[in-house]
Amino acid sequence: MEQATFGAGCFWGVEVTFRNVEGVTDVVVGYAGGHVPEPSYEAVCSGQTGHAEVVEVTYDPAQVTYEQLLDVFFQAHDPTQVNRQGPDVGTQYRSVVLVHDEAQRKAAELAREQLAAGGVPVATQIVDAETFWPAEEYHQQYLVKRGLATCRI
C-alpha cells in the first residue's frame, strides 16, 4: 500500500470522491502544510495555522496508479482557484498536492504542466508532505454518516 495526500477544498466531498476509486483502501480527512501542531478544525478555519484541509489516501498501486489519482484530484475540483473552492474561501481550501517522494513530485508536476499547456491557469501547489494531522472523528466520513453522496452546490 502507498499513500497520496491532496487538498482540493472542503475535505468532505474530496473524501467521498477518493473512497469511490477502485484500488483506494482508505481515506482519512485531516490537516497538513501548516506550522501549528495538532490543529483543531476551528484553528484551521481561523486561517492562522497555515494548514490546508486535505485527504490522506491509502491505495494499492497494483489496482490504481498515482497518475490516475492525480487525474481524479484535478477533476474533483477547480485547480484554477486560489485559496477557495466555490463558496469556501480561505487558505485552508487551497489546491495542493503533498508529495511523499520524488516520483510523486515528478508525476504531479507533469500533470500540472499538462493542464497548463492546455490553457488552464493552474494554481495548484506542489509541496513536500510533512506531518498529517487527522481531523476530529466527527469529520471522518462526514457525508456518509449523514446519508449524503456529495456536498457540491
Side-chain angles (χ1 to χ4, degrees):
M1 295 298 156
E2 294 187 19
Q3 290 188 317
T5 308
F6 304 104
C10 175
F11 47 33
W12 297 336
V14 180
E15 176 190 30
V16 170
T17 297
F18 279 103
R19 280 195 183 281
N20 289 321
V21 174
E22 188 172 337
V24 169
T25 60
D26 194 24
V27 182
V28 178
V29 300
Y31 317 109
H35 57 271
V36 174
E38 300 183 35
S40 68
Y41 179 72
E42 291 76 17
V44 171
C45 287
S46 76
Q48 301 302 307
T49 70
H51 289 88
E53 289 189 19
V54 300
V55 294
E56 187 174 72
V57 177
T58 303
Y59 67 100
D60 180 352
Q63 294 185 355
V64 63
T65 66
Y66 183 72
E67 289 78 8
Q68 289 170 312
L69 294 177
L70 285 166
D71 288 343
V72 170
F73 165 75
F74 280 113
Q75 292 173 20
H77 76 298
D78 181 352
T80 69
Q81 296 291 300
V82 177
N83 297 333
R84 74 175 301 147
Q85 284 297 305
D88 297 325
V89 179
T91 58
Q92 71 270 28
Y93 301 117
R94 66 188 177 270
S95 176
V96 61
V97 178
L98 297 104
V99 296
H100 294 263
D101 58 34
E102 193 57 30
Q104 285 188 358
R105 176 178 300 286
K106 288 180 181 177
E109 288 174 350
L110 178 60
R112 184 176 64 184
E113 289 168 11
Q114 288 173 334
L115 276 176
V120 177
V122 180
T124 303
Q125 300 171 347
I126 299 170
V127 299
D128 290 334
E130 294 181 0
T131 304
F132 170 81
W133 302 98
E136 297 81 353
E137 182 56 37
Y138 72 93
H139 287 294
Q140 305 302 327
Q141 298 187 45
Y142 183 87
L143 296 176
V144 172
K145 291 174 185 173
R146 284 153 183 79
L148 302 171
T150 184
C151 61
R152 291 190 184 197
I153 301 170

